[in-house]
Amino acid sequence: MDSPQLSPLSEENSEEPEAASAFSSIPARPPTQKSIEKYAPLSWSDYFDRAEDVCIPGSNDVFRVYTAGSEGPVVFCLHGGGYSGLSFALAASKIKEKARVTAMDLRGHGMTSTDNDSDLSIDTLCNDVVALMNAMYGDSPPAIVLVGHSMGGSVAVHVAAKKIPNVSGLIVVDVVEGTAMASLVHMQKILSSRMQHFKSIEKAIEWSVKGGSLRNVESARVSVPTTLKHNDSKKCYIHRTPLEETEQYWRGWYDGLSEVFLSCPVPKLLMLAGTDRLDKSLTIGQMQGKFQLVVVRNTGHAIQEDVPDEFASLVLNFISRNRIGPHGFEIPGLLRSKQNNLSKDSEAR
């Protein structure tokens, strides 16, 4: 699941106004205005090149897709439960310099609309991804690197396991079967502890940062607005995705995930925010060299949001290392700079 336990944030600004001095002729500035400016929403267009709504043939399902870049393989991003495709916005603005990026809003999330937004079963989510890729790329698909965060990581793994020819790489971000399964018994309590109503989008962005789910204010300003919807009767904003109502699907997201991940016939990278999260199957697989493991320090669960530059570099280095792209060629510049650095190291010795 994708929501760490968060302490509720007061609806009022937590910053206390400075006491006015008896000798001061100018009263202290109200902190609410500063808060509004600091947590004001940012547009997706500052990071992605395009946003489009893709209709799936033979259905009423319409998926919001954000894209960036014009050359190279496609980094196809799948967000976690309760997030949206804009979770990858800041990283996309870096990745697009060397590769293409596609980030979709999964069913029941963001700006996507389907006949059944509440069906978040692993099979339905996987079928959505495959259908969207077919609708976007047709009979001439590019090389695709699937990148999935948390719940989206599970979806990416199961899609890669289908052995789709153009899926050439798999990156899973901060989800391990053992840890995820152990956390399920606590998830309803964690979700119920979230703040449920917000007076404004700015307050929701502030809560996400001060509550600890996100650590990067800029990323939160882009990604949080599409995770909300306005409740007209209560005249406030609420969470777009009622995760507490999806409990029947949680076990299906993660049960058996490690073995499926290890069986995927493509180069694999597991990116974690901590060192103590590998279960037995993954520990053995990592020792056998079946996948690359990277531990990203000083970040929370949403690595792609908290440290987008480092995340983008890891994605591009993975693509370069495995020579993923048109005709199997490396991305220009990446391997060359790496080889130059190795030569300099050799000369220094």
Side-chain angles (χ1 to χ4, degrees), residues 22-224:
F23 302 98
S24 174
S25 59
I26 303 176
R29 183 181 181 185
T32 50
Q33 183 60 37
K34 178 180 177 182
S35 176
I36 290 174
E37 294 173 357
K38 182 176 181 180
Y39 300 107
L42 295 174
S43 172
W44 62 264
S45 60
D46 293 335
Y47 307 92
F48 287 100
D49 299 336
R50 295 167 298 280
E52 57 182 315
D53 295 318
V54 179
C55 302
I56 303 302
S59 77
N60 295 318
D61 299 342
V62 181
F63 290 90
R64 170 58 62 90
V65 180
Y66 301 94
T67 57
S70 58
E71 297 182 352
V74 172
V75 178
F76 200 101
C77 302
L78 307 174
H79 61 79
Y83 293 80
S84 79
L86 293 181
S87 178
F88 296 93
L90 269 64
S93 67
K94 303 295 181 181
I95 295 172
K96 72 179 184 180
E97 297 172 3
K98 299 290 185 179
R100 287 178 282 174
V101 184
T102 295
M104 67 179 291
D105 286 348
L106 292 168
R107 176 182 296 255
H109 293 76
M111 304 301 290
T112 283
S113 174
T114 68
D115 280 338
N116 186 358
D117 278 356
S118 62
D119 181 6
L120 299 187
S121 65
I122 189 63
D123 288 341
T124 296
L125 294 174
C126 289
N127 290 338
D128 287 343
V129 173
V130 174
L132 180 64
M133 290 195 297
N134 289 336
M136 291 184 68
Y137 306 123
D139 296 330
S140 302
I144 289 178
V145 177
L146 287 172
V147 178
H149 169 236
S150 203
M151 179 196 77
S154 173
V155 178
V157 167
H158 283 86
V159 171
K162 295 179 179 292
K163 301 180 181 179
I164 300 171
N166 58 303
V167 173
S168 306
L170 172 64
I171 300 176
V172 175
V173 184
D174 211 45
V175 57
V176 168
E177 177 185 350
T179 304
M181 294 296 287
S183 71
L184 293 184
V185 295
H186 308 292
M187 197 50 56
Q188 283 291 3
K189 182 178 180 180
I190 292 172
L191 291 173
S192 65
S193 71
R194 299 191 302 174
M195 182 172 285
Q196 302 296 327
H197 307 94
F198 306 95
K199 291 181 179 178
S200 65
I201 292 177
E202 289 83 0
K203 282 294 182 183
I205 295 170
E206 181 181 11
W207 171 81
S208 71
V209 175
K210 291 187 175 180
S213 62
L214 299 175
R215 301 184 183 185
N216 186 318
V217 175
E218 183 184 358
S219 186
R221 292 170 68 186
V222 185
S223 67
V224 169

Side-chain angles (χ1 to χ4, degrees), residues 248-269:
Q248 61 181 309
Y249 304 119
W250 297 350
R251 184 168 294 274
W253 294 344
Y254 305 120
D255 193 18
L257 183 61
S258 293
E259 291 298 338
V260 179
F261 173 73
L262 293 171
S263 72
C264 291
V266 293
K268 297 177 285 292
L269 166 63

